[in-house]
Amino acid sequence: MGLSYKCHGTKYMNPSSWNSEITFLNRSTYIEVHISARGSTFHTLIGVHSYGKFLCVPNWGIGTELAELSDRFWNIERLTTVYPDISQVDAISIVDALVELSKHDYT
């Protein structure tokens, strides 16, 4: 089972929006998904710990705290601040996947 979603970049991006896909790999105490967007793929783990939520993208060397999955602004700021080498497009693709997951109550 998968979910399709649309990412919304800034007005200065070309294109300013793009289609993406979430493929579920594992659902237990965390969610393991594969996110594909604009030529990038992210093997992603999203879970909850004692103090909040977390995101790990092992194939990109990313691990960070999250706000609520629906908090697009905070999560983009966190991801781009902690990992300044990540492109804006990739950060938006990951965070918009989190927003989409929040709409379907997967965490």
Side-chain angles (χ1 to χ4, degrees), residues 9-65:
T10 67
K11 64 182 177 181
Y12 304 106
M13 293 179 169
N14 185 20
S16 61
S17 65
W18 55 93
N19 294 321
S20 301
E21 179 75 25
I22 300 169
T23 304
F24 290 91
L25 303 174
N26 185 5
R27 288 180 63 193
S28 57
T29 57
Y30 60 92
I31 298 172
E32 184 176 3
V33 298
H34 182 237
I35 299 168
S36 300
R38 285 184 63 174
S40 295
T41 58
F42 311 95
H43 177 209
T44 308
L45 301 139
I46 305 152
V48 179
H49 59 77
S50 298
Y51 303 110
K53 292 181 173 43
F54 68 88
L55 167 78
C56 290
V57 187
N59 62 327
W60 286 62
I62 293 173
T64 189
E65 302 287 330

Side-chain angles (χ1 to χ4, degrees), residues 68-80:
E68 291 302 316
L69 298 185
S70 61
D71 192 336
R72 188 173 190 267
F73 177 80
W74 195 94
N75 289 332
I76 287 173
E77 287 294 312
R78 176 69 180 189
L79 196 53
T80 57

